[in-house]
Amino acid sequence: MKRLAYAHVFCVLTAFAAHAQDCPVSPDHTADVSAVLAQIQSANSEQDARALSSQLWEFWTDAPDEQAQAVLDRGMTRRNAWDLLGAIEDFDKLIAYCPTYAEGYNQRAFAHYLRQDFQSALPDLEKAIELSPNHVAAISGRALTLLGLQRIDEAREALSQALELNPWLSERHLMAKGGPLALPGEEI
């Protein structure tokens, strides 16, 4: 019976590995993301920055092909409906098919984060950032995940990195006086 189960897992993994070769290269939105981040950094208000931030999501969620887009969209829909395990299953499929697409990792990390499974979220966030170094959402998600793991100094450092890219993030309040990531000596 165990051999049959292992054989099934092997077949599934082999099929996913074969599909990974079929996934086209992710669209390169690096210049577009950098341009939007520059606009955000010079925004006059949080409201202006928030409007620009939605453009970032358009770039990040632009999957490599229709198949990847369908799986991403389904996973995000499931996540929004709090079917977190179903969402993780979809993001697993997306990552197996397109292992160089950062948003697959970021979305799976978010589903893990919502389950408060911070240990599982962290490696996905690190991979998303490796693939997309200016992915502000993944960087701020990493900060929140590190906070959830009580790794305060690392969380503060990660949030500082995110705030360099987008000083208007709502998470900035975590570093304000009295916040959980305030510098030592700045407590209330």
Side-chain angles (χ1 to χ4, degrees):
M1 186 70 162
K2 282 186 180 180
R3 275 193 225 156
L4 184 59
Y6 288 130
H8 174 71
V9 169
F10 178 76
C11 288
V12 170
L13 292 176
T14 303
F16 281 140
H19 283 287
Q21 296 171 358
D22 296 336
C23 181
V25 175
S26 299
D28 184 6
H29 294 298
T30 306
D32 298 320
V33 167
S34 293
V36 172
L37 287 171
Q39 291 178 307
I40 289 171
Q41 290 164 2
S42 63
N44 293 320
S45 70
E46 184 173 358
Q47 183 177 5
D48 293 343
R50 192 175 300 132
L52 291 164
S53 292
S54 67
Q55 291 179 27
L56 293 174
W57 283 109
E58 291 176 27
F59 298 129
W60 293 328
T61 59
D62 182 17
D65 66 10
E66 287 181 27
Q67 180 178 339
Q69 191 69 57
V71 176
L72 174 66
D73 292 345
R74 184 177 63 231
M76 291 173 63
T77 298
R78 291 172 102 175
R79 188 206 60 231
N80 290 341
W82 284 90
D83 175 8
L84 300 178
L85 293 177
I88 290 168
E89 182 181 299
D90 282 333
F91 299 136
D92 286 346
K93 290 175 185 174
L94 177 59
I95 290 166
Y97 176 60
C98 296
T100 61
Y101 178 48
E103 197 57 31
Y105 296 96
N106 185 54
Q107 290 297 324
R108 184 170 69 180
F110 188 32
H112 284 304
Y113 178 86
L114 291 173
R115 294 183 69 232
Q116 297 186 358
D117 183 358
F118 306 124
Q119 290 289 0
S120 295
L122 191 57
D124 279 344
L125 290 163
E126 290 171 350
K127 184 66 175 180
I129 295 164
E130 175 189 322
L131 293 169
S132 182
N134 286 343
H135 197 310
V136 177
I139 298 168
S140 63
R142 183 173 180 270
L144 294 172
T145 299
L146 290 165
L147 179 60
L149 291 168
Q150 297 300 304
R151 292 165 55 179
I152 304 303
D153 291 337
E154 292 172 87
R156 187 180 302 119
E157 182 180 329
L159 187 54
S160 293
Q161 291 172 333
L163 291 171
E164 285 178 22
L165 295 170
N166 181 353
W168 296 100
L169 289 173
S170 60
E171 293 88 351
R172 72 185 184 278
H173 300 295
L174 297 172
M175 292 184 74
K177 188 174 181 177
L181 297 180
L183 291 171
E186 292 190 11
E187 294 86 22
I188 295 177

